[in-house]
Structure formats: structure tokens, C-alpha cells
Amino acid sequence: MKQDIFGLTIEELQAALTAKGMKTFRAKQVFQWLYQKSVFDFSAMRNLSKADIALLEENFTVLPRRIAVLREQNSSDGLTSKLLLGLPDGNSVETVLMRHDYGCSVCVSSQVGCDMHCAFCASGLNGAVRNLSAAEIIAQVYLFNERLRGENTMVSRVVVMGSGEPMLNFDAVIGALDFLHREDTCLMSYRNMTISTCGIIPGIRRLAEQGKPINLAVSLHAVRSELRTSLMPVNKGFPFADVITAAEAYSEAGGRQVTYEYILLKDKNDSVQDAELLSNYLRFKHASVNLIPANPVPEQGFERPSRQRVERFLKILQKNRINATVRKEMGKDIDAACGQLRAKFAKEQEHK
Ligand code: SAH
């Protein structure tokens, strides 16, 4: 069995390579190829000797080369790309690149599937299969870095907003973000990273203990208990009012504003009363609201409200001095909502 060296620290890489008889300084060269140049084929690492390349190929592998791109979808405007990745164990996850005028961001998945069973989400249709490793999360970013090489750029922002609940895979998520933060990898600022949670309070507290300026996003989606529980069963264990309190404590500890995500679902949570109620909860918080017109998931029968209803909701928040925006839509034509591509792919395989 070849050892996979992807995601090892420089010290670990040195230990692995010298154990096979390579010189210590080679590890640094390999490390630079992998994480600064996004080159994953040993044979393309041009400052290595033929003997070293042969030794590397014989003994080691690199995760991005063991991941198959099962599907690639690019939005018609060219701004969004979505990959369905086939992991070495046969599971698959989605990852999305979004090009903004301020740089490229990647939305990574943290788990295969999800156990939160939010009613409107495609990721949890079949529950969680397993956690992703830190290396598997880092690889999602680096597969896009590899694609961006030709444009002389790298991913500059990461949002942990793909499939899965990041707070239930806390160590791997933080491990991946710490790795991307290193100055000898992406040198990515924690301020350019966001973790989105459905409201796992112990996770929010642990994140606060980390003392890193990582952005916190909370998927709120409803501010009436019964409705939120019906949309997001997690509300039973962690009622949203307590989640807001924990998020506010996070904000106070680190000075970062919390973003509340609120999917607008037609005739479910998009009324004037809901907008007023949401305002009451957030009015004096260091918070902003990101309104997301629902991506309809055909399996679940949720619809997107009209533009007018979205505008009406937004106006009420703004009237109440809540910093609110409607999420810019990217990739609607490529099933970019959580889990949609994976779910579709699984269905197609079933019918084969
Ligand atoms: N589990 C985490 C992160 C993954 S979900 C969380 O709940 O925040 C990322 C975001 O996409 C969440 O806000 C989620 O509620 C939202 N989402 C899921 N399904 C969606 C859909 N059909 N349309 C719009 N947003 C959706």
C-alpha cells in the first residue's frame, strides 16, 4: 500500500520521505509543488531528480490524484463550477467554485451526506454516510487551485457550506482550515473562511474557544419554534433562541459579525409577520441576514417565493435596521444547491 502524503504537515512529510531514503530538503520542494503550485503529479515536479521521482511514485500517492471527477458542471455565465468528486472509498461529495470580482471562493462539503434532515435540503435525503477527513476537505480546495493555475490565481476564500454539518466534524474542519491558513500553503486569512451551521451549540462554543477570526454563519430559516422544528429537526435539541445567544457570544468574543441565513420558502416562512419577528430577534445583534430564495428540491415540494415577496421581506428587515441582503444567485442552472447534483447522480445510477 502506498502512503498518501496529501495534507501532511511539512514535518510529517519530511519524516515520511526520509524514511524512504530521500534527503530532508526534498520534502520542502515536494511541499511547495503540492501546496503553492498545486501540482500533484510527481513527474511534473521539475526540480526533483529522476531517482527521487521514481522513489516517490513507488511509495507515495497524493489524494487529489485518487479522487475522480465524476461530473463537472459549469454555469452558462462561466462564474460557477461544480464538481462531483468520487472519493477513493467510492463515496461522492460536491464542491463548488464561485468567481467573484474580489477573488475565487470554494464551497466545501464537510461530510458525505448529512444527518440533520432539514426538510428543504437535498444533502440529507439518505442521511450521513461518514465524516470527511481534513485531507478530503483540503483536496476540494486544491482541485480548484489546480484548475486555476492557468489563470495564475488560487482560491482565496472558503465557505464550509456544502453537504454535511461542519460542527459534527469539528476537528477535521478546523484541521483543514488551519492547514489552508499556513503561510507555506494558501496563506488564507481566517477572515476569509466561513463555517455554516444549522445551530449545533456545543460546536459554536468550541469555535469560540479556538479564538480564530473565522466567520460564523447560522442557518436560521425560521423564527417560530414549531415551524423551525418542522423544517429543521435540530431545533428540538438546540432551540433557535439559544442558538442566537451562542452565536452572539461568539461574535462578542471575536468581534466578528454573525451571518444568519434565511431561506425563503413560499407561504412557509416569508410572511410580513415572519420578517418582523426575525427583526425583533436580531435588531440589537452584531448580525446580518442573508436571504436565500429557495432552490426548489423537487423531492420535497418547496417553492421559491415571487420576487415581490422576497423584496417585501428584505424591505421589512431594512426598515428595522437589520443589515440584510438577498444572496446573489450563482449556479442555479447547475444544481448548485447542497446535495442536488449528488442526489441526481445517485438517481441516474439507480436507473442504469
Ligand atoms: N449544515 C450546515 C452547512 C451546510 S448547508 C448548515 O446547515 O448551515 C448550507 C446552506 O444551504 C444552509 O443554510 C442550508 O440551509 C442551505 N440550503 C440547503 N438546501 C437548500 C435549498 N434547497 N435552497 C437553498 N438553500 C439551501
Side-chain angles (χ1 to χ4, degrees):
M1 270 288 272
K2 293 183 186 179
Q3 183 188 355
D4 195 319
I5 55 171
F6 193 78
L8 296 186
T9 61
I10 182 74
E11 293 79 18
E12 290 165 343
L13 186 64
Q14 275 165 353
L17 299 200
T18 51
K20 297 291 173 195
M22 286 178 73
K23 297 248 164 51
T24 314
F25 77 94
R26 291 291 185 205
K28 196 161 176 201
Q29 292 176 325
V30 172
F31 199 87
Q32 285 172 343
W33 281 111
L34 293 175
Y35 307 113
Q36 291 170 19
K37 304 188 202 297
S38 313
V39 166
F40 309 122
D41 295 308
F42 296 127
S43 60
M45 300 181 177
R46 293 192 302 270
N47 53 2
L48 303 184
S49 68
K50 281 220 174 80
D52 280 330
I53 291 171
L55 208 129
L56 286 167
E57 282 177 341
E58 202 181 302
N59 294 287
F60 303 106
T61 55
V62 182
L63 184 59
R65 281 292 83 89
R66 299 167 60 222
I67 291 177
V69 176
L70 301 175
R71 283 285 160 87
E72 175 162 1
Q73 291 191 344
N74 296 298
S75 63
S76 44
D77 59 11
L79 296 178
T80 310
S81 313
K82 181 165 202 165
L83 304 179
L84 181 69
L85 304 177
L87 302 172
D89 70 351
N91 280 304
S92 59
V93 289
E94 296 174 17
T95 181
V96 185
L97 174 82
M98 288 155 287
R99 292 160 187 273
H100 307 283
D101 43 14
Y102 50 80
C104 290
S105 55
V106 166
C107 174
V108 296
S109 292
S110 56
Q111 299 181 308
V112 177
C114 185
D115 263 339
M116 297 295 96
H117 299 293
C118 297
F120 43 80
C121 179
S123 297
L125 288 174
N126 298 310
V129 179
R130 68 169 174 85
N131 281 336
L132 294 183
S133 66
E136 286 170 328
I137 298 170
I138 299 164
Q140 295 173 55
V141 175
Y142 268 95
L143 282 165
F144 280 118
N145 278 339
E146 185 183 29
R147 286 170 158 68
L148 291 169
R149 288 183 67 219
E151 300 169 39
N152 281 321
T153 187
M154 283 179 104
V155 173
S156 60
R157 279 162 203 266
V158 168
V159 294
V160 190
M161 247 184 228
S163 296
E165 171 45 50
M167 296 304 190
L168 298 182
N169 187 16
F170 191 90
D171 292 330
V173 168
I174 295 296
L177 298 184
D178 284 344
F179 192 87
L180 299 170
H181 175 71
R182 293 174 57 112
E183 65 178 337
D184 53 3
T185 64
C186 287
L187 192 60
M188 194 184 293
S189 157
Y190 286 123
R191 290 169 197 279
N192 285 355
M193 305 177 183
T194 301
I195 296 180
S196 177
T197 178
C198 63
I200 307 290
I201 294 174
I204 297 174
R205 297 211 178 108
R206 275 186 79 187
L207 190 62
E209 285 161 18
Q210 293 272 319
K212 293 165 185 161
I214 296 173
N215 300 296
L216 175 67
V218 172
S219 297
L220 194 55
H221 305 330
V223 279
R224 287 181 277 132
S225 295
E226 217 171 290
L227 174 65
R228 191 167 190 267
T229 299
S230 74
L231 294 173
M232 303 178 70
V234 68
N235 195 59
K236 270 180 261 166
F238 300 114
F240 72 87
D242 298 346
V243 175
I244 294 174
T245 304
E248 185 66 359
Y250 180 78
S251 164
E252 268 166 30
R256 306 295 291 162
Q257 173 175 282
V258 175
T259 303
Y260 290 91
E261 296 157 272
Y262 194 99
I263 301 184
L264 288 166
L265 305 160
K266 185 179 167 192
D267 297 331
K268 296 261 189 313
N269 65 353
D270 62 344
S271 68
V272 170
Q273 290 81 346
D274 283 310
E276 294 287 358
L277 208 51
L278 176 60
S279 305
N280 287 344
Y281 276 106
L282 300 183
R283 187 168 297 153
F284 296 107
K285 306 276 191 290
H286 187 33
S288 67
V289 174
N290 199 352
L291 296 174
I292 312 168
N295 284 306
V297 179
E299 289 85 346
Q300 285 127 321
F302 287 100
E303 286 178 60
R304 152 181 305 214
S306 65
R307 280 255 299 282
Q308 290 83 332
R309 296 272 287 209
V310 173
E311 277 300 307
R312 183 180 73 175
F313 202 96
L314 177 69
K315 290 263 157 59
I316 295 171
L317 297 183
Q318 289 172 337
K319 174 198 79 178
N320 289 319
R321 311 281 171 83
I322 309 280
N323 186 352
T325 47
V326 178
R327 174 168 300 174
K328 203 171 113 203
E329 283 225 61
M330 296 186 84
K332 198 169 61 153
D333 57 337
I334 58 167
D335 305 305
C338 302
Q340 291 189 340
L341 179 60
R342 176 168 169 263
K344 202 160 126 186
F345 185 79
K347 233 192 188 150
E348 282 169 20
Q349 300 296 312
E350 259 172 43
H351 294 300
K352 266 188 191 161

